[in-house]
Amino acid sequence: MASSTAPARHNLPRPGTGFVGRERDLSSLLRLLESSRSVTLCGAEGIGKTRLALRVAEQSTASFPDGVWAADLTDAHTELEVHARVAHAVGVVEEPGQPLATTVVEALRDRRLLLVLDACDHVADAVTGIGETLLAACPEVSILLTALDPVRLSGGTVWRMTPMALPVAPRNGPPPDPADSEAVRLFLDRARIRDPRFAPSREELETVAVLCDLAGGVPLGVEVLGGSAPGTGPDALAEGLRAHLASPEFQPGPGQAVARSEVLPIVLAFVYRTLPEPERVLLRRLSVFRGWDLESAEQVCADVGLAREHVLDLLASLLDRSLITVTGEFEGRLRYRLPEAVRAFAAERLVEAGEDAQLRERLLDRMTRLAEDLGFRLESSRAMPWSERDAGRRRVLAEFDTLRSLLRWAHREGRAEPGLRLASSLVAHWVSHHDYSEGAHFMDLLLDMEDAEKAPSRARALVGRAQLARVRRDHALALSLGEEGLRLCRESGDEMFVRTALNLLALVEVRERVPDRAAVRVEEALRLCRESGDLWGEAIALGTRGALAAQQGDHQTADQHYNAALTLLRGIDHRWGVGITLIGQARAAELGGDLVTADRCYREALDTQRMIGAPAEEARCLAGIGRVAYAQDRVEQACDYLSEGLLLSHATGQRAEVGRALIAIARVAFAVGMRDAACGIAGAAVQMRERLGLSVPAAPWPFGNEEKTRRRRKRLVSLWEEGRRLSTAEAVREAERLAEEGRRPPGRRSPSSASRRTPARTARPARTPAAPPPPPPLTPPQQRLTRRELEVARLVSKGRSNPEIARALFISPATAARHIANINRKMGFHSRTQIAAWMQSHGGRD
């Protein structure tokens, strides 16, 4: 396996400190991944499993063209949570109404990637089941796991982590240089983080070697001792540690030594006792977090006994001592985390100090206010820049590991009211990030608690749970819970959630095609929103009005309602609301035949969804633009956008949208003469619909009326049925090939792509000759494109397809398509031909 890092897709965290030692382990594991599709690194706490696994993954990127993806399972407790974290890691978006487990497996079925599942201990059985399923269903997926005990997968290998190497004296030779051993090198590296001038003498290096031995060669123990050395000195540190280990408190029995696997907690206890009191206080209080920044630490951990203005210096000292780590930045602020072994140790000290409940209450209060701020910003009628409105969403995402831990704590401790209040505030996060199943899981846990019936937040929680049911397409449950929540909100006088519930129920009833009931709901919601000045709620109601009018065939009225909603949303700069409303307006205009409006709305929605970072909606917009372009006889542009939308839907696991894109490409291919292949991918799309539980049209839909003679129709049916046997990946590859052919002028298409006969279509008007393309811009590509866009444009000018570009640049075909779309948008182009002409006019082919 290649050990050099190639340009690749990954989500591996950037380590805050250097990687020291483990050279033999690293080399052996890289070779092992060539022959074994699953490898488990197991060993004691602090032995370095996570760090080595991430290093192996980092150096394996060249071998996995579809990426190397890490999922942290430290706090996962259920199979659903494992699937959710794997989905987030690989960029798969939950499909409405479909099991997340199935979506993940189908999305990875034909990808060649490495999945790193870190800290599997709490969910070992779930990981075993999921791992076996992935290995069986996804032949190109490899899995690297870490756990305290072996997680054995079929055909896999278990790699038992050993302590770091210590100096070993040869039988007949000079004594070794302690600085050559990896344990001593790690000790010195961490000591020099605290004090770059740390330079022990030869005698002190011998003492350092002794300290590493006393720590059992466990890397985390070596690190924290190294962080303490500059202030104490190696000799004093060794003397203190020896005395600590000799204490009867830590002796297992007469004549027995402490096992290496049990040394780390003793070393941590020793280092903890040597800390100044303020650092001990802060360390144990930080254990309530799963990640934090300075502001959070100040607000939760500071009090009369720990001054807020001292927290920064104390954090810096704990960082220098390797007791906390830096995990990255968020909005210019450093984020920190405790190594799991340190967090567990510090949590015990917090309980011993009698501070656990108090600190968790403080943290719960802060995180609840943060989550409620998210809901306020997303639904506020106050005009504010989108960056300010979106800040709450991004902050909740950064804190979500801690928020999950608080939901579990509330459930475990029987705290129904604060748990429901927090969960209700997180519904906006779960909906906007497509985490429907995870949200439903936590809401159900809390609503089923004994005290939930009496909780003041129950009414809002029911409405929130109904919202999750709606986006999961469980309309019966959404109506049931929404009705109950509406009743309770009316009784308690919660006017804001009365409006929310009415809008929710109206949306569900539109989807269920109950127009009379939906109209009553939406009119009441609209009246209440206008009376209270709720612009966000009014815009939602107007959008529902538009959907209702479009469903009844009144597309002109639908367009008016959508425009009224957009006016309100743009007035308060609510980009997320604008993006969703535009998609609804575009779809209504497309169905009503208003192609100009549909194209404009899809394109504006596309820009909005890209800015927000919503790939599933982005794919819907791309496919919509492609369908409209085909309806406007712009075949080359239709192929570009449909292809990009297809690849993005496939990458994010949106099988229903993949099916729709396949049908759209099939229509284009059929129209330009590639009839046989078009029937094949249409059959594949229908088979996909059947697997999703959707209605299945008769063969050879959508080309049932294209052939009048029995013999020719029978041939179409045969090709269509053959297509039903294609896998999703095979159908996507075939559709991508057809899109590539469709981009070419008729005379340059491959003969094998066309049928023997291509009769003129009677259902569409004759195509008018396309206007000649405008001359290439005078601006050189180097001045307008990013480096990666320039690389893509050069390959386009050489006639390379998206898969060929992807292989050349170590990116996915979806990413290649996205770069091409970005170039077209920047330059005002509509086709690859224009990109190629521009590059060639500026000598940009080579």
Side-chain angles (χ1 to χ4, degrees), residues 361 364-365 368 372 406-407 409-411 413-425 446 449 455-457:
E361 290 288 356
L364 180 61
D365 179 66
T368 300
E372 288 176 342
L406 288 169
L407 290 170
W409 177 78
H411 178 254
E413 297 296 319
R415 304 290 306 280
E417 168 54 24
L420 287 172
R421 181 182 169 191
L422 177 59
S424 300
S425 301
L446 294 162
M449 290 173 64
S457 295

Side-chain angles (χ1 to χ4, degrees), residues 394-409:
R394 289 182 281 110
R395 183 62 186 273
V396 165
L397 194 60
E399 302 288 0
F400 207 73
D401 285 344
T402 295
L403 288 160
R404 279 194 194 103
S405 73
L406 288 169
L407 290 170
R408 287 195 199 91
W409 177 78

Side-chain angles (χ1 to χ4, degrees), residues 726-764:
L726 293 175
S727 70
T728 301
E730 290 170 338
V732 168
R733 285 194 293 270
E734 176 67 1
E736 177 67 5
R737 183 186 70 78
L738 293 180
E740 289 290 338
E741 290 291 334
R743 294 182 183 105
R744 298 174 182 171
R748 294 179 57 190
R749 291 184 189 130
S750 169
S752 61
S753 299
S755 309
R756 295 176 186 174
R757 292 176 58 107
T758 311
R761 299 184 64 201
T762 58
R764 292 175 59 86

Side-chain angles (χ1 to χ4, degrees), residues 75-407:
D75 272 344
H77 286 72
T78 65
E79 183 176 336
L80 171 63
E81 289 177 83
V82 176
H83 278 123
R85 297 188 193 196
V86 170
H88 276 286
V90 299
V92 170
V93 177
E94 182 173 349
E95 297 177 283
Q98 299 297 324
L100 182 57
T102 304
T103 301
V104 170
V105 171
E106 289 299 322
L108 301 187
R109 190 176 291 279
D110 292 276
R111 296 196 205 178
R112 188 177 179 189
L113 57 79
L114 175 63
L115 187 61
V116 182
L117 302 180
D118 186 32
C120 301
D121 309 291
H122 297 300
V123 282
D125 291 342
V127 167
T128 300
I130 293 168
E132 294 286 6
T133 300
L134 288 173
L135 292 175
C138 312
E140 297 297 321
V141 169
S142 295
I143 306 176
L144 181 60
L145 310 99
T146 75
L148 293 173
D149 299 310
V151 176
R152 300 183 185 277
L153 301 180
S154 300
T157 303
V158 174
W159 184 271
R160 296 185 182 274
M161 298 279 293
T162 58
M164 299 191 85
L166 298 164
V168 178
R171 180 173 299 178
N172 297 309
D177 182 354
D180 289 340
S181 79
E182 58 183 11
V184 173
R185 284 161 45 207
L186 178 63
F187 184 103
L188 296 176
D189 183 86
R190 300 309 187 251
R192 287 166 181 155
I193 288 176
R194 184 174 179 189
D195 183 358
R197 298 167 298 176
F198 183 74
S201 64
R202 171 72 188 202
E203 292 75 16
E204 288 177 320
L205 279 177
E206 297 287 352
T207 305
V208 167
V210 170
L211 282 165
C212 294
D213 187 43
L214 290 173
V218 176
L220 183 55
V222 171
E223 288 181 295
V224 297
L225 288 173
S228 299
T232 308
D235 293 332
L237 193 63
E239 182 180 354
L241 182 56
R242 281 197 186 97
H244 185 74
L245 289 168
S247 168
E249 178 185 353
F250 302 113
Q251 291 300 310
Q256 297 180 6
V258 177
R260 283 184 179 268
S261 61
E262 299 172 0
V263 167
L264 180 60
I266 300 174
V267 171
L268 291 175
F270 167 71
V271 171
Y272 181 75
R273 290 179 181 181
T274 65
L275 294 176
E277 177 62 17
E279 291 186 26
R280 287 202 297 269
V281 172
L282 180 60
L283 180 65
R284 67 180 182 242
R285 293 180 176 181
L286 291 171
S287 67
V288 298
F289 290 100
R290 295 302 185 271
W292 71 89
D293 58 18
L294 174 61
E295 180 185 356
S296 294
E298 289 174 340
Q299 292 193 4
V300 174
C301 299
D303 59 14
V304 176
L306 184 66
R308 181 168 180 164
E309 59 269 21
H310 295 161
V311 171
L312 175 58
D313 290 338
L314 296 174
L315 279 176
S317 180
L318 292 173
L319 181 63
D320 288 344
R321 294 175 186 272
S322 296
L323 288 166
I324 64 177
T325 60
V326 172
T327 59
E329 287 189 15
F330 174 75
E331 294 185 341
R333 293 178 288 192
L334 287 177
R335 296 211 36 101
Y336 305 90
R337 194 179 183 111
L338 287 169
E340 187 56 26
V342 177
R343 194 197 65 77
F345 171 85
E348 292 176 0
R349 305 291 82 76
L350 189 68
V351 172
E352 289 174 1
E355 298 178 330
D356 181 65
Q358 178 187 8
L359 264 292
R360 291 190 187 278
E361 290 288 356
R362 285 189 204 167
L363 181 62
L364 180 61
D365 179 66
R366 170 166 171 73
M367 291 297 154
T368 300
R369 284 187 281 111
L370 184 148
E372 288 176 342
D373 180 64
L374 160 68
F376 168 77
R377 292 185 191 219
L378 282 182
E379 299 182 6
S380 172
S381 298
R382 180 173 65 87
M384 65 179 80
W386 171 250
S387 58
E388 180 183 341
R389 195 181 295 276
D390 193 44
R393 186 174 68 102
R394 289 182 281 110
R395 183 62 186 273
V396 165
L397 194 60
E399 302 288 0
F400 207 73
D401 285 344
T402 295
L403 288 160
R404 279 194 194 103
S405 73
L406 288 169
L407 290 170

Side-chain angles (χ1 to χ4, degrees), residues 24-46:
R24 290 184 180 179
D25 288 334
L26 180 60
S27 177
S28 298
L29 285 166
L30 287 168
R31 289 196 300 272
L32 188 57
L33 274 176
E34 292 180 337
S35 58
S36 181
R37 289 180 55 212
S38 75
V39 177
T40 300
L41 307 186
C42 67
E45 286 278 14

